[in-house]
Amino acid sequence: MAVRVFGLPKSTCTSRVLLVLEELGVEYELVPVNFAAGEHKQHPYLERNPFGQLPAFQDGDLSLFESRVITRYLVRKYGKDSGLLKETAPEEAAAVDQWMEVETAQFNPAICAIVFQIVILPIIFGGTTDEKVVEAQLDKLGKVLDVYEARLSKSKYLAGESYTLADIHHISYIHYFLTATPHASFFDSRPHVKAWWEAISSRPAIAKITAGLSFK
Ligand code: GS8
């Protein structure tokens, strides 16, 4: 039976998982969750993800939540030879781990807050963008991207010369940031970051999933 992902194509965390499934060529079923009706906050969805968030995941008897944990599982189970975690050499695997952690701890909090304020809050919740929050988080994101610019001037991808899970984990939020906020210059003005984005966003597995990342 195909693995099942419970979520929505427009959800950044759901699409993080879908990107990896597409990259590995693993057959899957996307089971839609009725977000507007609050299905993710109710039984039985809460048994799949007790935090009431998208996505959740099932592979046979294994049930998982947390998108970045699901992606790692997928690579270990279905993509041992993919090189996406570089687990054949501890030093290389550590570089992948390091940049995955940077995405989670440094990059995601800033870009997630900006995309929430500019895209999700007004469109989904009918709220008003708090420009002060946007400004503060843009400042943080700029500092993180300066570190990326320095790193990517030395290697084509974050964890070295090949594409890894560390790169994939960034795609969903950058896609929203570039297509739905007026701040694309944050990426365009940093030539190595820009070249990295062009390399990772032009992979064939990407287009199908990023096409679903829209609130329009
Ligand atoms: C975050 C999940 C999340 O925030 C992960 O899986 O990576 N660390 C978790 N999901 C959002 C949708 S993001 O696309 C969500 O479900 N938000 C609704 C809520 O928090 O109530």
Side-chain angles (χ1 to χ4, degrees):
M1 198 172 87
V3 305
R4 289 192 295 166
V5 181
F6 300 81
L8 290 172
K10 66 177 66 158
S11 138
T12 47
C13 300
T14 305
S15 67
R16 187 174 289 123
V17 172
L18 302 183
L19 284 163
V20 174
L21 287 161
E22 291 286 339
E23 184 69 36
L24 297 176
V26 175
E27 201 188 323
Y28 64 92
E29 181 192 352
L30 176 61
V31 183
V33 175
N34 192 337
F35 195 85
E39 189 186 337
H40 55 305
K41 301 292 181 196
Q42 295 163 36
H43 171 82
Y45 184 84
L46 286 175
E47 268 101 280
R48 298 199 172 279
N49 184 335
F51 293 100
Q53 293 184 318
L54 313 183
F57 173 86
Q58 181 99 40
D59 185 6
D61 291 338
L62 178 72
S63 207
L64 290 173
F65 55 88
E66 285 297 342
S67 61
R68 298 166 182 85
V69 169
I70 300 165
T71 59
R72 267 175 289 204
Y73 164 77
L74 287 168
V75 174
R76 290 186 180 123
K77 175 93 181 185
Y78 298 105
K80 278 200 189 78
D81 300 327
S82 67
L84 289 180
L85 279 170
K86 297 197 184 187
E87 287 193 321
T88 47
E91 295 79 2
E92 294 196 0
V96 181
D97 284 347
Q98 176 177 272
W99 289 101
M100 288 197 294
E101 191 66 19
V102 168
E103 185 275 328
T104 306
Q106 310 283 352
F107 178 87
N108 188 74
I111 200 164
C112 173
I114 297 162
V115 168
F116 178 79
Q117 285 293 332
I118 298 180
V119 186
I120 298 168
L121 180 61
I123 297 177
I124 304 293
F125 298 108
T128 308
T129 301
D130 184 334
E131 297 298 345
K132 281 214 176 82
V133 173
V134 173
E135 210 178 299
Q137 296 303 325
L138 281 172
D139 187 54
K140 282 190 187 161
L141 182 66
K143 290 184 174 121
V144 174
L145 289 180
D146 286 342
V147 174
Y148 281 39
E149 179 65 12
R151 167 64 188 167
L152 292 165
S153 70
K154 297 197 186 85
S155 63
K156 184 169 181 198
Y157 297 99
L158 286 171
E161 290 312 312
S162 66
Y163 183 63
T164 68
L165 218 46
D167 304 300
I168 299 183
H169 282 182
H170 290 77
I171 290 174
S172 310
Y173 271 110
I174 298 182
H175 179 84
Y176 271 125
F177 188 88
L178 295 180
T179 58
T181 84
H183 302 294
S185 63
F186 269 69
F187 286 77
D188 292 342
S189 63
R190 293 173 171 88
H192 294 95
V193 170
K194 185 172 187 233
W196 167 71
W197 172 248
E198 279 165 7
I200 67 176
S201 61
S202 60
R203 293 179 72 85
I206 302 304
K208 184 175 163 190
I209 302 306
T210 51
L213 287 170
S214 170
F215 282 100
K216 286 188 187 131

